[in-house]
Amino acid sequence: MATNGSGHDLIVCFGEMLIDFVPDVAGVSLAESTGFLKAPGGAPANVAVAVTKLGGHSAFVGKFGDDEFGHMLADILRKNNVNDEGVLFDQHARTALAFVTLKANGEREFMFYRNPSADMLLTEAELNLDLIRRAKIFHYGSISLISEPCRSAHMAAMKAAKDAGILCSYDPNVRLPLWPSEDAARDGIMSIWKEADFIKVSDDEVAFLTQKDPQDEENVLSLWYEGLKLLIVTDGEKGCRYFTKNFKGRVSGFSVKTIDTTGAGDAFVGALLVSIAKDTTIFENEERLRKALTFSNACGALCTTQKGAIPALPTPAEAEKLIAN
């Protein structure tokens, strides 16, 4: 069993891990695809692996089906040195699957098989709260808010983290096909907005949540609230924008040959969380924050140069090389 992270910089990631079936040829519809590669996915799990690949300590909290895919995913976590003390198996539900269409430009569409999948059936009573309380950062998305009992488990885990004074990190990762409606998605995502210490959203997610232009700073700042330490908006290959109580700015991205954008945001988040776990005063120091965001941008960019999320997650040396060049 991988048990890293008994130290003080543990990043606990909560939520879903699933199998992405990615067409072996980009630019064709699911119906036209003749073959699929199976790739481990699920944003919180991708972040957990991104953290360990970058030399940090992470744990994953979530539930798999007691099936071959579930055990394969748990094995991938262990092989990547992710602490698995929070991993559970459900004998009555399957591991979630997603069929991902890669459009010619590397962007994706999703078709999910979760009816219900094991990750949705995690209960509050099953949570390893001791593990969560050992964290320096507790990271989560919004997919775990969609249905019970997982929503209650998410709320309880978040409360335990907040009560223990742990920094809360939120990347909503909007996946509209999983929500009953667009309004339900907006309401669900915003229902826990003000619990987080830092939030990362993409420009597309800003457009979805505010229903306005994501490049207009006024719209972005409508998502700010008193008590938030850092709001990041990622702008794809253009880089990212950052907002803190005292300063704001933009850090430009890196130009690479994009093959598959899957996991790029998770690589970015993992890199940022590693930087924050090492130095929580980064929110007050613009120079150090910009350096961390440059590193995060490099990690996000590198992740788009290969198919799949976890296999494409970069090492620190690869990121430093891209920055140097």
Side-chain angles (χ1 to χ4, degrees):
M1 177 166 104
T3 56
N4 86 56
S6 53
H8 300 296
D9 57 352
L10 180 64
I11 297 162
V12 173
C13 301
F14 175 91
E16 70 286 345
M17 187 177 191
L18 58 151
I19 308 262
D20 286 337
F21 284 93
V22 187
D24 53 10
V25 179
V28 296
S29 69
L30 288 180
E32 292 162 344
S33 297
T34 53
F36 294 89
L37 302 165
K38 69 178 194 296
N46 293 343
V47 170
V49 175
V51 166
T52 61
K53 277 193 140 172
L54 295 168
H57 300 292
S58 70
F60 179 73
V61 175
K63 203 172 191 187
F64 301 110
D66 190 4
D67 51 40
E68 279 202 37
F69 284 150
H71 289 283
M72 175 193 123
L73 292 175
D75 206 40
I76 286 166
L77 290 175
R78 282 192 290 272
K79 282 196 176 114
N80 283 286
N81 297 314
V82 175
N83 176 312
D84 64 352
E85 291 169 53
V87 167
L88 295 150
F89 292 94
D90 192 304
Q91 278 160 3
H92 306 292
R94 293 266 184 245
T95 302
L97 309 177
F99 284 84
V100 185
T101 315
L102 277 185
K103 294 195 262 186
N105 63 357
E107 288 297 331
R108 312 148 296 167
E109 286 168 354
F110 296 89
M111 185 165 80
F112 292 94
Y113 285 71
R114 297 169 89 232
N115 48 348
S117 52
D119 59 286
M120 300 160 72
L121 301 177
L122 178 67
T123 66
E124 188 179 336
E126 292 172 314
L127 288 173
N128 184 335
L129 292 176
D130 290 339
L131 173 65
I132 290 165
R133 291 186 185 112
R134 294 207 314 260
K136 191 166 200 177
I137 299 171
F138 181 62
H139 175 74
Y140 47 86
S142 69
I143 289 173
S144 41
L145 297 171
I146 296 173
S147 56
E148 292 292 359
C150 189
R151 180 184 166 85
S152 292
H154 181 134
M155 301 304 277
M158 201 166 59
K159 183 179 189 308
K162 285 193 80 67
D163 290 351
I166 290 157
L167 289 167
C168 287
S169 161
Y170 185 25
D171 178 357
N173 254 308
V174 176
R175 295 284 178 268
L176 282 181
L178 294 177
W179 291 88
S181 67
E182 288 198 9
D183 285 342
R186 254 187 295 272
D187 294 347
I189 287 163
M190 297 308 294
S191 70
I192 60 164
W193 198 258
K194 293 187 176 174
E195 303 293 326
D197 294 291
F198 31 95
I199 296 173
K200 173 247 153 192
V201 278
S202 69
D203 47 356
D204 291 346
E205 288 165 341
V206 172
F208 173 70
L209 292 169
T210 65
Q211 296 177 275
K212 290 178 182 153
D213 177 11
Q215 294 309 319
D216 184 334
E217 195 168 288
E218 204 177 310
N219 297 333
V220 175
L221 287 173
S222 71
L223 296 171
W224 178 268
Y225 62 88
E226 194 54 46
L228 188 60
K229 293 182 170 71
L230 176 65
L231 174 65
I232 298 280
V233 180
T234 53
D235 290 307
E237 68 281 358
K238 294 201 290 286
C240 66
R241 288 170 278 165
Y242 58 89
F243 303 86
T244 73
K245 198 169 67 188
N246 300 318
F247 51 78
K248 62 185 182 188
R250 181 185 288 273
V251 179
S252 53
F254 294 89
S255 174
V256 293
K257 188 175 186 300
T258 294
I259 290 170
D260 176 9
T261 57
T262 308
D266 305 324
F268 177 97
V269 170
L272 182 59
L273 296 185
V274 168
S275 298
I276 292 169
K278 278 190 199 138
D279 174 15
T280 52
T281 64
I282 205 166
F283 309 116
E284 287 112 52
N285 185 313
E286 187 165 15
E287 188 190 346
R288 287 207 300 269
L289 179 63
R290 287 185 66 88
K291 193 176 171 207
L293 291 172
T294 300
F295 183 71
S296 291
N297 281 343
C299 290
L302 284 168
C303 191
T304 70
T305 60
Q306 293 183 52
K307 270 195 192 144
I310 286 176
L313 293 168
T315 62
E318 289 164 339
E320 295 297 352
K321 188 176 162 193
L322 181 62
I323 293 166
N325 293 343

